[in-house]
Amino acid sequence: MAKASRPRLAVWKFASCDGCQLSLLDCEDELLAVADAIDIAYFMEATRGRISGRYDLSLVEGSITTPHDAERIRDIRRISDVVITIGACATSGGIQALRNFADVREYTSIVYARPDYISTLATSTAIADHIRVEFELRGCPINKRQLLEVVSAYLAGRKPVTPAHSVCVECKLRGTVCVMVAHGTPCLGPVTHAGCGALCPSYNRGCYGCFGPMETPNAPALSQHLAELGMEDRAIARLYSTFNADAEPFREERERHGP
Amino acid sequence: MARKTRTIKVDYLARVEGEGAFKVVVRDGAVQSAELSIFEPPRFFEAFMRGRAFSEAPDITARICGICPVAYQMSSVHAMEDALGITVGGPLRELRRLLYCGEWIESHVLHVYMLHAPDFLGYAGAIDMARDHGEIVKKGLALKKAGNDIVNLVGGREIHPINVRVGGFYRIPGKRELADLGETLKSVRDIAVDTVKLVAGFDFPDRSRDYTFVALRHPDEYPFNEGRVVSNRGLDIRVADYDRHFEEVHVARSTALQSRLHGGSYLVGPLARYSLNFDRLAPAAREAARDAGLGTTCTNPFQSIIVRSVEVLHAIDEALRIIETFEQPDRPSVDVVPRAGIGHAATEAPRGLLYHRYRLEEDGSIAEARIVPPTSQNQPSIEEDLRDYVGGWLDLDDEALQHRCEQTVRNYDPCISCSTHFLKLERIEETSG
């Protein structure tokens, strides 16, 4: 009987690389315990199964880029009690949101011999631009520890512990010497949302913003510092313009430095 | 009276990476059509790469596929180094091979245990399978984790590694870290050996086809990062000549770019790699393959699960060899100076040959990018398999036949997210202006 009352989980995919949902399968030590506690009712990357009934928790990966997907996400909202978006595509449109600043017809003709076969929207947008979502988990890719924390929290009815401070704080917490201060390496850490554990600086490289903007970042101040390190405007613009290019603070800062 | 027309349609194919579907139409006992459709939305990587810096290619192209990001990073750095006239050798080259071993293990084991084995043992997925075969699934997870441990240490994280750059790496793992990794690999090596035995015992449909196999071949290594592009039909070319022999076709009937070799279909991936490079496998991997009943070539796609398991064992032994002989380099990367040029590279992704070509401007920004992923090369072969095989299975009921068809597609471990450009597309009437 206990089995019947397990919460039902669904994992949905939109435009993405599949990496964030793979994070669940990458929880090698926890996966079977998770599957014991939760009924993984719909997860096409892992199992055959049909959409049926309601889901207590829907994890959504990917961004909205086609008219069909714009419809599909509304259906998912209707059958889900809680919707959590996982990863940069779902929370800010992902790298494919670079089309939002370009002519999508031109993009189509660069890649495809027959652009007339392609059905796509002019933009790649976050899930929250289309439906209400209960929580957005950051990262390109997400951190699997944070994924377990968020799923556990929602199932326990509490707020997940996922600090919104900057990567800088994570560097200080793990005792990594600042790559920008010590080596003059350009780093987005001061404006980037925590969650990765300040990985790049621990590998002697600057943060490149996988987790998107932190809460209330001061990007212009950082950009000024990057310019003092010798970065040209074009390079600064590129730095803000990757996996979270259409997240507002990054987009605005890119616009200040590039076309 | 038997039905005259029978349509087997699966709208959303499970246990593949990405979104795909297929449709087989049978009329009067004859297969009329077999189509694999990919409805992964286009993401336009080759378009938005234009104007980016050459140095950004490994981080950006990794995002094409969360399952095989290392393959994208490797093909992109080698293509950039080709364009910039740089060679990365010695310990840095070894470390790249080690990283690739990690991805092969992680990706192959994911497919063998979690995506493919449930087909043979009759389960909807690995989680259901774990209820009856808990120990097997646990061992598979341990083996997969060891692959991820390699990618984690050398790459910085399992998905979208951060440590790869044009010219080498940002940080070289320390001796102690590598030694610990070696111990982990030794502790799961027996599982890799047992995996080959386990999957060799599955029940395989007797289906072989006369494939044109295409893979890299290197003078003395089982191929990861380097080699000539060869086939079992006499092709033997430099990667730079790829475009003279292969072409991508945008097929009108719905699914887009498909690759052709001299106008015909061909196969990349484990079967091709194995059949063209058996003599380059680690001795234990060769022995395991023989004990599993494989010859020096394998033309039954259902047995790809054995070949993947053999490659996992090879990757573990190769990783151990690299760790044991590794000498710390003086610097984590070689110097890179931008210049104009064209660069090509092909490396062996878990699913097969992954070709990248870039044209760079003088300042090192990307003027053109072209990427040909393995699954778009295999798509015509998958459809031909379906067309050929379904005729022999018509006595099965719908559910069993559908399952066989799904399995036929899953044999290829199709990585549909990679295929930024082969999609099921609805035709839209549009007038410009």
Side-chain angles (χ1 to χ4, degrees):
Chain A
M1 285 309 284
K3 290 241 166 191
S5 63
R6 286 183 308 163
R8 300 183 80 225
L9 173 86
V11 182
W12 310 95
K13 175 186 157 62
F14 290 83
S16 67
C17 76
D18 280 65
C20 289
Q21 51 176 318
L22 179 68
S23 300
L24 192 54
L25 298 178
D26 274 352
C27 296
E28 289 100 355
D29 293 335
E30 300 85 2
L31 183 64
L32 295 179
V34 170
D36 253 357
I38 303 170
D39 175 14
I40 302 178
Y42 185 80
F43 184 10
M44 290 306 273
E45 189 176 78
T47 185
R48 303 168 82 198
R50 289 179 191 289
I51 304 170
S52 62
R54 292 192 63 80
Y55 299 95
D56 296 285
L57 176 56
S58 276
L59 300 177
V60 179
E61 172 193 277
S63 66
I64 303 299
T65 60
T66 68
H68 172 71
D69 280 354
E71 288 296 316
R72 190 160 62 96
I73 190 62
R74 281 193 279 275
D75 294 339
I76 290 167
R77 178 70 264 185
R78 274 193 286 276
I79 58 171
S80 308
D81 290 342
V82 171
V83 172
I84 295 176
T85 62
I86 53 171
C89 296
T91 58
S92 75
I95 183 110
Q96 58 272 17
L98 290 174
R99 82 179 65 178
N100 301 0
F101 322 124
D103 179 352
V104 80
R105 281 175 303 182
E106 192 188 321
Y107 269 23
T108 311
S109 63
I110 289 172
V111 180
Y112 298 95
R114 293 290 303 264
D116 53 325
Y117 300 158
I118 305 288
S119 167
T120 187
L121 294 170
T123 54
S124 167
T125 44
I127 300 300
D129 291 352
H130 299 262
I131 58 162
R132 175 176 54 86
V133 305
E134 273 71 19
F135 187 80
E136 295 181 311
L137 184 60
R138 306 291 203 87
C140 181
I142 56 170
N143 175 320
K144 66 183 183 185
R145 303 271 147 236
Q146 288 202 322
L147 176 65
L148 290 174
E149 160 61 15
V150 169
V151 169
S152 311
Y154 270 88
L155 295 175
R158 65 175 171 83
K159 205 171 172 295
V161 182
T162 54
H165 54 229
S166 72
V167 169
C168 284
V169 176
E170 293 192 306
C171 263
K172 303 298 170 283
L173 286 171
R174 68 184 283 171
T176 303
V177 172
C178 178
V179 294
M180 197 147 55
V181 171
H183 310 291
T185 303
C187 181
L188 280 185
V191 296
T192 298
H193 196 288
C196 65
L199 210 50
C200 286
S202 76
Y203 274 71
N204 307 324
R205 76 176 285 195
C207 164
Y208 60 99
C210 301
F211 279 62
M214 65 178 292
E215 232 170 40
T216 63
N218 187 349
L222 174 65
S223 298
Q224 193 185 333
H225 196 65
L226 294 173
E228 284 161 14
L229 288 174
M231 276 184 95
E232 294 172 2
D233 261 353
R234 194 170 163 211
I236 293 174
R238 280 177 186 147
L239 193 56
Y240 288 105
S241 197
T242 58
F243 317 108
N244 294 279
D246 209 11
E248 199 178 326
F250 281 10
R251 185 182 65 232
E252 285 176 358
E253 197 54 22
R254 178 191 65 80
E255 284 165 355
R256 291 183 56 229
H257 296 274
Chain B
M1 185 77 195
R3 280 164 301 173
K4 287 235 164 94
T5 305
R6 194 172 169 194
T7 304
I8 301 297
K9 199 171 163 217
V10 171
D11 288 330
Y12 200 149
L13 193 58
R15 282 184 276 131
V16 302
E17 295 91 4
E19 293 188 69
F22 68 83
K23 186 175 158 190
V24 177
V25 178
V26 181
R27 191 168 299 141
D28 297 329
V31 180
Q32 297 294 310
S33 67
E35 291 176 12
L36 175 68
S37 309
I38 309 297
F39 42 89
E40 189 75 19
R43 292 168 71 211
F44 304 112
F45 275 82
E46 288 144 312
F48 64 64
M49 293 281 285
R50 293 186 175 189
R52 307 296 302 208
F54 75 91
S55 53
E56 294 182 290
D59 292 328
I60 290 179
T61 59
R63 267 68 182 186
I64 292 173
C65 178
I67 326 283
C68 55
V70 170
Y72 283 88
Q73 295 193 326
M74 291 297 113
S75 284
S76 64
V77 295
H78 283 285
M80 289 303 176
E81 286 158 12
D82 184 40
L84 299 169
I86 302 165
T87 310
V88 174
L92 297 178
R93 181 178 187 277
E94 288 283 272
L95 210 52
R96 284 179 171 175
R97 285 180 67 79
L98 177 60
L99 180 61
Y100 230 143
C101 286
E103 178 158 287
W104 276 27
I105 296 167
E106 162 274 311
S107 172
H108 276 356
V109 175
L110 172 73
H111 191 254
V112 167
Y113 277 91
M114 312 201 68
L115 312 181
H116 211 186
D119 275 337
F120 292 97
L121 296 173
Y123 295 91
I127 290 161
D128 297 309
M129 199 169 89
R131 279 184 209 118
D132 300 331
H133 301 282
E135 280 312 303
I136 291 178
V137 174
K138 274 182 201 155
K139 281 183 177 177
L141 287 168
L143 188 57
K144 177 172 171 297
K145 192 180 176 198
N148 270 334
D149 284 347
I150 299 178
V151 183
N152 230 331
L153 175 64
V154 182
R157 66 181 167 201
E158 299 101 320
I159 301 168
H160 306 330
I162 52 97
N163 194 25
V164 172
R165 67 190 299 179
V166 178
F169 293 90
Y170 291 90
R171 170 184 173 279
I172 303 298
K175 270 187 185 160
R176 181 64 195 270
E177 290 171 308
L178 286 168
D180 287 349
L181 181 62
E183 291 309 310
T184 303
L185 291 172
K186 282 180 199 157
S187 74
V188 297
R189 190 176 178 281
D190 282 349
I191 300 177
V193 173
D194 291 345
T195 301
V196 182
K197 290 180 188 153
L198 171 76
V199 300
F202 290 167
D203 196 12
F204 297 102
D206 185 16
R207 290 274 181 258
S208 284
R209 282 212 302 125
D210 186 21
Y211 295 101
T212 297
F213 287 135
V214 173
L216 289 182
R217 180 148 172 97
H218 184 273
D220 37 52
E221 294 167 348
Y222 200 72
F224 282 106
N225 292 46
E226 276 183 286
R228 290 173 70 82
V229 180
V230 304
S231 82
N232 55 338
R233 307 255 192 267
L235 183 80
D236 185 358
I237 59 167
R238 295 181 309 151
V239 175
D241 293 329
Y242 181 92
D243 281 328
R244 292 191 200 159
H245 299 269
F246 296 84
E247 61 170 347
E248 283 187 297
V249 185
H250 201 165
V251 184
R253 72 162 154 62
S254 83
T255 56
L257 308 188
Q258 299 190 353
S259 288
R260 301 271 164 187
L261 166 61
H262 303 147
S265 71
Y266 63 99
L267 191 67
V268 300
L271 287 190
R273 214 156 40 213
Y274 174 89
S275 299
L276 293 166
N277 292 286
F278 178 81
D279 55 344
R280 302 285 190 265
L281 280 167
R286 279 203 299 263
E287 194 186 315
R290 283 201 199 95
D291 290 348
L294 290 186
T296 56
T297 64
C298 178
T299 53
N300 181 346
F302 291 86
Q303 291 182 315
S304 61
I305 191 169
I306 311 179
V307 176
R308 279 188 196 91
S309 306
V310 168
E311 286 194 334
V312 168
L313 180 58
H314 171 83
I316 287 192
D317 282 357
E318 175 65 5
L320 284 168
R321 181 196 67 74
I322 293 167
I323 289 170
E324 277 156 20
T325 58
F326 190 73
E327 288 176 17
Q328 291 283 322
D330 299 335
R331 300 166 57 207
S333 65
V334 300
D335 288 335
V336 179
V337 182
R339 70 173 197 194
I342 291 176
H344 316 253
T347 69
E348 286 286 348
R351 286 156 198 79
L353 196 79
L354 170 60
Y355 174 73
H356 285 215
R357 175 187 181 276
Y358 298 96
R359 185 164 65 80
L360 300 183
E361 309 280 15
E362 255 170 59
D363 65 353
S365 62
I366 298 168
E368 266 174 42
R370 204 156 88 75
I371 294 166
V372 185
T375 300
S376 76
Q377 301 179 74
N378 281 342
Q379 192 189 2
S381 272
I382 301 175
E383 292 181 338
E384 286 175 9
D385 277 8
L386 283 169
R387 227 165 11 235
D388 275 23
Y389 296 164
V390 167
W393 295 331
L394 293 176
D395 51 334
L396 298 173
D397 65 33
D398 275 5
E399 199 187 328
L401 178 57
Q402 178 188 321
H403 186 235
R404 268 289 158 80
C405 291
E406 284 188 39
Q407 205 182 342
T408 302
V409 178
R410 273 194 294 269
N411 283 336
Y412 289 89
D413 189 8
C415 186
I416 292 167
S417 298
C418 289
S419 52
T420 50
H421 39 205
F422 70 124
L423 326 140
K424 179 174 186 179
L425 307 157
E426 48 183 296
R427 177 140 196 165
I428 45 168
E429 297 301 325
E430 201 174 37
T431 47
S432 55

